[in-house]
Amino acid sequence: MRHVISILMENEAGALSRVAGLFSARGYNIESLTVAPTEDASLSRMTIVTRGSEEIIEQITKQLNKLIDVVKLVDLSEDEHIEREMALIKVRAIGEAREEYKRLADIFNGRIIDVTETTYTIELTDSGDRIVEFLAAINADEIIETVRSGVSGIARGEKSLHP
Amino acid sequence: MVQITRFRGCFYLLRELYTRNSLRSSKAGMREKSRFVNANGSFESVFNVAGAGNINRVAISLKRMLTVELTGAEILVRSLKEEGVTHLFGYPGGAVLHIYDALYQQEDVKHILVRHEQAATHAADGYARSTGKAGVALVTSGPGATNAVTGIATAYMDSIPMVVITGQVFTSMIGNDAFQEVDSIGITRPCVKHNFLVKDVADLAETIKKAFYIATTGRPGPVVIDIPKDVTANKAEFNYPKTVSMRSYNPVVKGHIGQIKRAVAMMLSARRPIFYTGGGVVLGRGAAELTALAQQLNYPVTNTLMGLGAYPASDRQFLGMLGMHGTYEANMTMHHCDVLIAIGARFDDRVTGNIEKFCPHAKIIHVDIDPSSISKNVKVDVPIVGSVPDVLQEMIALIKGGNKKPDEDAIGEWWDQIAEWRSADCLKYDEESGKVKPQQVVESLYRATHGDAYVCSDVGQHQMWAAQYYKFDKPYRWINSGGLGTMGFGLPAAMGAQLAHPDATVACVTGEGSIQMCIQELSTCLQYGLPIKIIALNNRYLGMVRQWQEFFYDGRYAMSYMEALPDFVKLAESYGHVGMRIDNPADVDGAMEEAMKLKNRLVFMDFVTDQEENVYPMIPAGAGLNEMILV
Ligand SMILES: Cc1cc2nc3c(=O)[nH]c(=O)nc-3n(C[C@H](O)[C@H](O)[C@H](O)COP(=O)(O)OP(=O)(O)OC[C@H]3O[C@@H](n4cnc5c(N)ncnc54)[C@H](O)[C@@H]3O)c2cc1C
Ligand SMILES: Cc1ncc(C[n+]2csc(CCOP(=O)(O)OP(=O)(O)O)c2C)c(N)n1
Ligand SMILES: [Mg+2]
């Protein structure tokens, strides 16, 4: 099962390596990991997407909670939540393709943020699935490069993660 | 640090907590009237203050003048003193020279110079295991830190409270591949409870406070503090924090009362119960509560290797150790139980055997302070997160206050069944072989020390024999590396225990393989006059390895024979100790008595034991607890 774990942690040097080290040492897999400071500069917020059986996910959350730098943790997938990911996609855009990519970007609520005579760079912020759909809609040969941010997650409604 | 008290209007009494030579009093327009040393050994001075009109202003400037800034090294040493540290095990080097200089100038914290940094960490560990207090080690950067890692990992696996201070290169040099630089934080991260790099001397005291707090609370463990050399030279005001609170670390102590009630109901309805208890009872200081609870219910108790002493081994209700080399009765009782009460034990694979076959009929209650120990290897029915004494006290009170009692008939039948398993006498051994039997040596040690010694062990067959044949009635007496299984642990750990308990008998049960991994510490023992009794069960084999090769590799003894052994008697003597060699079974008791009489000497007893003796009983890999090899 895929799980989205959201962590509030002390914004200390080395905190990220403690989390990454835990996953590699215990053989848990990480699909994506994003991290940045919050409005309170002493705290970082991290979103980890991982997969595993219920027992493994239970161990992952317990082990993460055990890290001294971890202040709070929630498994977002246990409840209604929103996931967003940003992708930057550079495509070869020549001739007819220019119109087509413009339309495609509009359909997916993407934006063209850089234009040259031969390329477009498209920014797309959406769920991971939608980004995959978008990429599938483009001719693979015409993708020059893609950069994905990994998932950021947040609970719906009043729920929030606080120290 | 200076305390100023108003004294008869215009006199000030200065309480100098830090001993200094000069109090340049003239600066504040005041004259020192008298000075004396108070009961705490610090100075108190009475000042005659001129211009007493604005006494508060004088007081403020006085305070500023007297605010003592200490170097990081001094702060470190003073902080250790504040933490009640009596012994510091260490080895000097460039990055920690300021610290050694500060240590030199005081007498409160005694530094013990080991001969290898691995031994510093093991000795600190042995100190901790024998006292329940945090052990402290100090090593230099680079090789000092890497040598310490084995001891840190050993403590980590067995949840031992320890604070290890590692020197580091100058802050400005970190990351430059400077001389003797290693990333100590990175290297130790997977084997510490937590670690800190101190970059600013102003943070040092608070970091040390946190380190001790983290090491000793919750599930204990080692904490590393990495201190760059410049931080030990820089100055800051010294204020040791009285308390510490961390928003990200709040270990639970009290168990959930609803869960405790469910557990008690389950315990009382048991027909075939057993207490399976581990190192957590020792670490949490819950031995008295465990004994009270088990005796209140008249249920059988088994201990893990780490839990030995948590329940008195000479008591009728004790079934011995369980697991791979546990007793037949303990493992059979486990296998057939209907309610398993696990307390401070972590369902290690050496205990469960094949997990598929583990306690097939049991409902499981598990008390542990670390949620990640619960349902990690075996799914449990009633998890209780909390500390052993607190949870057990609640249980005892609930049972006492309630009207449900254990089913006496069922428990009686259960004890009858256990008596039958016991009658297999699984620890019997051949006493007529004409050879010195390792089991016999441990039994002899038990008698000669009246069961009251601190027994520190190395790793191998001798460790199992010590665990099986020495009956530990008290916690903190059995000191061994269970989780990591570190050969070389025994002798340095014994040094820590002996320093913590100078008048007690401390024995080191070891093998001729293990002892050679930290043999250099015989020199440390001489320097500090540590009268450890080394009981070497010398089988001229890496016996535990040989046993596995005998059983599972058709007796191909690859690299498990110990050739070219030193003459341990001469070796001990060359270090200024007493050496004895015993190769006749008839001499064992006499030699043991004689060694114990040498109260102030380290005695190296080299017992030439039956070479191919095996540790029995044994659960082979993949088998269940009911599938033991008996002899
Ligand atoms: C050669 C060799 C052979 C071995 N054979 C055996 C064997 O036959 N049988 C055996 O048992 N072991 C054996 N071991 C040891 C084994 O590897 C484990 O180290 C041991 O079984 C673990 O013991 P434990 O479960 O008591 O856990 P420990 O490692 O002692 O862990 C303590 C547990 O208690 C918890 N705890 C800590 N403080 C508290 C508190 N205040 N309140 C509540 N809980 C707390 C911790 O969270 C942890 O879960 C052997 C080791 C070696 C080297
Ligand atoms: C540092 C280290 N290296 C290797 C091992 C693997 N090992 C476990 S027991 C053992 C043999 C120990 O021999 P000895 O000290 O003579 O004890 P004996 O088993 O003969 O009683 C070995 C090599 C270990 N536990 N620790
Ligand atoms: Mg041997």
Side-chain angles (χ1 to χ4, degrees), chain A residues 140-158:
Chain A
D141 295 341
E142 292 179 339
I143 299 177
I144 299 169
E145 62 177 330
T146 57
V147 180
R148 293 174 63 169
S149 66
V151 172
S152 291
I154 198 163
R156 281 193 185 274
E158 285 282 342

Side-chain angles (χ1 to χ4, degrees), chain B residues 219 278-279 304-305 322 324-325 344 346 351 368-369 373 387-388 482-483:
Chain B
R219 179 176 182 169
T304 66
L305 181 72
L322 81 164
M324 179 174 281
H325 292 297
R346 58 183 174 84
V351 163
D368 201 292
I369 202 158
S373 280
S387 190
V388 170

